[in-house]
Amino acid sequence: MSLHRRTVVALAGAALAAGARAQGYSTRPVVWIVPFPAGGPTDALARDVAAHVGAALGQTILIENVAGAGGTVGAARAAQAAPDGYTLLVGHLGFMAAAPSLYRTLGYDPLQDFDPVFRFPDTPLVLLVARQSPFGNAEALIAFARRHPGRLNIGNAGLGSTSHLAAALFAQRAGIEATSVPYKGTAQALTDLMAGQIDAVFDQSNTALSALAGGRLRAIGLTSAQDLPQFPGVPALGRRLLPDFEMATWYGVYAPRGTPPDVVQRLYRAYARAMEDVAWKRQLADQGIRLLPDAQYAPDALARHTAAEVRSWRRVVTQARIVLD
């Protein structure tokens, strides 16, 4: 974003802040931009969270799906929205942390163009193989890849997707060379995995549970540092096999830079109230979603986490030599 653009946003934010305080927030529906198609895991989680936050806020939250370029199209639109608290972005690891390294040019700056509002619980990923796969565990898969560089085919939901990034990080931590096989979405990758066309896929924990229910896939590892009760007998790869390996798909709600701080706080307080619902938190955990300590959901915690993730994924993407434009 240019200096002129940021100055305009700052001035507009100051004017809107006075208006928001005078008129009261919120007086009309709030829109959350989800930069992925409807029906996917990000969309499903965003709608679930929006329903609970909207109830706590006493206001309707509408979801607008703006898909394209790995989420960067929707993020750019959100960055240009009026900073009045009525248009927010559901952020995601891919386009808020990895994108600055994946793309030579972006229509937004994740750290400069947004005010963090709150963070969602995380979704670790699961390393899946076909039921008939010769790899009984992650150790066997890694051993094969070390003996046969480049022969291991790991599918993903598309270049720059979370599953692609997970595979790149996994290969670096395991010291292996694997071949990336991109698809147009996780569903296509899992279909070929079940058919034996590829060797493995990293899938998010909340969607992996339903994929495993069919019995045609097996889980052989988790990208979390600790085991998850929803995946009995599936080891956390970072616990003993790959000590430096830990990853989760994380999400957060962001407002355009210059949104009045009292509006940000009101949104965060509504989310905090929603997270007091024990039954809802149990439901999230049952889906394989990892709850966090309450302090990690706050705006300042999300700001620190986003900055740290931008730095971390810059190293991973540079080493893997992934460039998308």
Side-chain angles (χ1 to χ4, degrees):
M1 180 182 284
S2 68
L3 179 60
H4 173 71
R5 160 71 178 149
R6 288 181 181 144
T7 301
V8 169
V9 167
L11 292 172
L16 286 165
R21 294 187 182 97
Q23 298 174 12
Y25 177 89
S26 55
T27 57
R28 52 190 170 90
V30 177
V31 174
W32 286 9
I33 292 178
V34 175
F36 294 110
T42 300
D43 177 72
L45 181 58
R47 290 176 187 274
D48 188 21
V49 175
H52 286 81
V53 174
L57 187 64
Q59 184 56 276
T60 301
I61 296 178
L62 305 176
I63 299 297
E64 181 182 357
N65 297 97
V66 184
T72 61
V73 173
R77 178 182 294 187
Q80 296 166 9
D84 55 9
Y86 289 101
T87 301
L88 305 172
L89 171 70
V90 177
H92 172 280
L93 178 157
F95 57 83
M96 293 302 285
S101 300
L102 292 170
Y103 295 88
R104 293 187 177 92
T105 58
L106 278 179
Y108 62 97
D109 184 322
L111 302 180
Q112 298 298 321
D113 293 343
F114 295 97
D115 290 325
V117 182
F118 56 80
R119 181 178 169 186
F120 291 6
D122 286 345
T123 55
L125 288 91
V126 185
L127 179 57
L128 301 173
V129 297
R131 180 180 56 190
Q132 70 274 18
S133 170
F135 306 123
N137 51 44
E139 289 92 332
L141 183 146
I142 291 172
F144 172 86
R146 287 174 177 168
R147 292 194 306 269
H148 307 285
R151 289 261 308 271
L152 183 72
N153 297 313
I154 303 180
N156 60 66
L159 296 176
S161 65
T162 303
S163 52
H164 182 205
L165 297 171
L169 180 62
F170 174 72
Q172 291 175 19
R173 295 293 186 267
I176 62 173
E177 180 182 337
T179 298
S180 172
V181 184
Y183 290 84
K184 293 182 179 179
T186 304
Q188 292 184 9
L190 294 180
T191 297
D192 270 10
L193 179 62
M194 290 185 284
Q197 300 300 311
I198 53 177
D199 299 308
V201 170
F202 281 95
D203 191 18
Q204 292 185 183
S205 55
N206 54 335
T207 54
L209 283 172
S210 58
L212 289 166
R216 299 178 62 187
L217 297 172
R218 290 187 289 112
I220 61 172
L222 299 165
T223 65
S224 55
Q226 302 295 327
D227 297 347
L228 295 177
Q230 294 77 18
F231 296 89
V234 181
L237 299 172
R239 183 163 53 83
R240 58 182 181 86
L241 183 61
L242 302 173
D244 294 330
F245 182 64
E246 181 178 8
M247 176 188 173
T249 302
W250 56 265
Y251 307 87
V253 168
Y254 298 80
R257 177 57 59 88
T259 298
D262 56 337
V263 171
V264 170
Q265 283 300 310
R266 180 169 178 181
L267 288 162
Y268 168 61
R269 287 195 299 270
Y271 175 72
R273 287 195 300 273
M275 288 299 291
E276 293 173 357
D277 186 336
V278 175
W280 181 43
K281 290 197 293 185
R282 186 182 303 115
Q283 182 184 52
L284 291 172
D286 288 345
Q287 296 172 23
I289 295 172
R290 184 177 64 186
L291 300 172
L292 305 172
D294 289 346
Q296 293 187 24
Y297 298 128
D300 58 342
L302 177 57
R304 291 191 297 271
H305 181 73
T306 306
E309 285 283 280
V310 168
R311 293 192 298 270
S312 177
W313 285 105
R314 183 178 297 119
R315 293 191 294 269
V316 175
V317 169
T318 299
Q319 183 175 336
R321 299 179 181 178
I322 305 172
V323 179
L324 300 187
D325 70 351

